[in-house]
Amino acid sequence: EAGVTQSPTHLIKTRGQQATLRCSPISGHTSVYWYQQALGLGLQFLLWYDEGEERNRGNFPPRFSGRQFPNYSSELNVNALELEDSALYLCASSTDRNQPQHFGDGTRLSIL
Amino acid sequence: QQQVKQSPQSLIVQKGGISIINCAYENTAFDYFPWYQQFPGKGPALLIAIRPDVSEKKEGRFTISFNKSAKQFSLHIMDSQPGDSATYFCAAEPYNTDKLIFGTGTRLQVFP
């Protein structure tokens, strides 16, 4: 069974640009979660999508947004990039709410 | 603010020894406590998880001990092996939110 896949592996942007990160959940999983793992910090919850709807949001500004497509894949968009947005962005999926979350290997976003 | 405090930050154990990582939480509204293992360049992998209706769960060499009254839970790795060298994260999920709150991680090094 294929795990959660994320693309690209690494993304380099400059301040003020916009970034789009993609996630394909495990087959059969309908919930997708996004987390930010900044250097030296733990994982911070960003967003949760289930059945195409945003269900919960972490303490991040509105320039962090996303969506979930009918095939349950998801995009994370970050607008007006700032230097502190440099981090590993992890996507996780689960079969349903309140079920174990399984993570992909992340997208490393570097802001120059 | 909901927080999960994890200790120690780093841990060095000899092969065959017991590795113990502790986490404490403040909010009593958590109802799911997973542990994740992360190797460099990889996403976190679910190791073992527990719900507050049990005090202990064992899977192979990995055991979670849960103390509801003290609001503490810990991971014990028996017969630690060099292949266990990784960063371990505890997490807690507030009831019905599907949002994991992570500890800051423990870097475990097991020497032969």
Side-chain angles (χ1 to χ4, degrees):
Chain A
E1 178 183 82
V4 176
T5 57
Q6 293 187 243
S7 63
T9 304
H10 199 169
L11 188 58
I12 300 174
K13 294 285 186 178
T14 58
R15 284 183 61 197
Q17 284 188 315
Q18 186 243 5
T20 298
L21 289 63
R22 297 179 176 83
C23 171
S24 292
I26 294 171
S27 178
H29 287 198
T30 60
S31 284
V32 170
Y33 311 81
W34 288 95
Y35 292 83
Q36 181 195 66
Q37 186 174 24
L39 190 64
L41 299 177
L43 288 79
Q44 304 290 322
F45 171 78
L46 259 167
L47 291 159
W48 165 34
Y49 291 94
D50 182 60
E51 297 289 352
E53 299 286 331
E54 182 180 304
R55 303 294 186 184
N56 202 348
R57 183 181 182 85
N59 189 25
F60 282 85
R63 57 191 186 82
F64 287 83
S65 65
R67 55 180 171 167
Q68 186 178 33
F69 299 98
N71 66 354
Y72 303 112
S73 66
S74 177
E75 271 183 5
L76 174 68
N77 296 294
V78 188
N79 294 319
L81 288 165
E82 300 179 1
L83 293 176
E84 54 263 35
D85 296 335
S86 292
L88 181 67
Y89 289 84
L90 291 159
C91 173
S93 71
S94 69
T95 54
D96 199 354
R97 59 190 312 164
N98 295 321
Q99 296 301 312
Q101 298 180 23
H102 300 273
F103 284 82
D105 289 336
T107 292
R108 172 76 58 189
L109 176 61
S110 300
I111 311 303
L112 304 179
Chain B
Q1 185 179 1
Q2 298 170 329
Q3 276 191 331
V4 177
K5 296 180 181 179
Q6 183 172 347
S7 63
Q9 189 173 6
S10 63
L11 182 61
I12 299 173
V13 173
Q14 201 160 12
K15 178 183 176 181
I18 302 173
S19 303
I20 302 174
I21 304 171
N22 300 298
C23 285
Y25 61 97
E26 298 171 348
N27 193 315
T28 56
F30 293 128
D31 69 342
Y32 177 63
F33 302 87
W35 284 88
Y36 284 85
Q37 178 190 57
Q38 186 176 28
F39 292 105
K42 295 291 186 181
L46 181 63
L47 200 57
I48 187 172
I50 199 169
R51 294 199 183 266
D53 52 347
V54 298
S55 60
E56 186 174 282
K57 183 175 181 180
K58 183 177 180 180
E59 290 183 2
R61 297 185 294 110
F62 301 93
T63 300
I64 298 179
S65 296
F66 183 79
N67 186 329
K68 190 173 182 179
S69 60
K71 299 179 193 174
Q72 295 175 345
F73 57 110
S74 60
L75 176 69
H76 294 230
I77 305 174
M78 310 299 288
D79 187 27
S80 299
Q81 299 297 312
D84 296 331
S85 297
T87 300
Y88 292 81
F89 292 95
C90 65
E93 182 179 292
Y95 176 74
N96 209 30
T97 65
D98 270 58
K99 160 187 171 181
L100 290 175
I101 298 173
F102 282 85
T104 50
T106 296
R107 186 184 176 199
L108 172 65
Q109 294 175 278
V110 182
F111 287 95

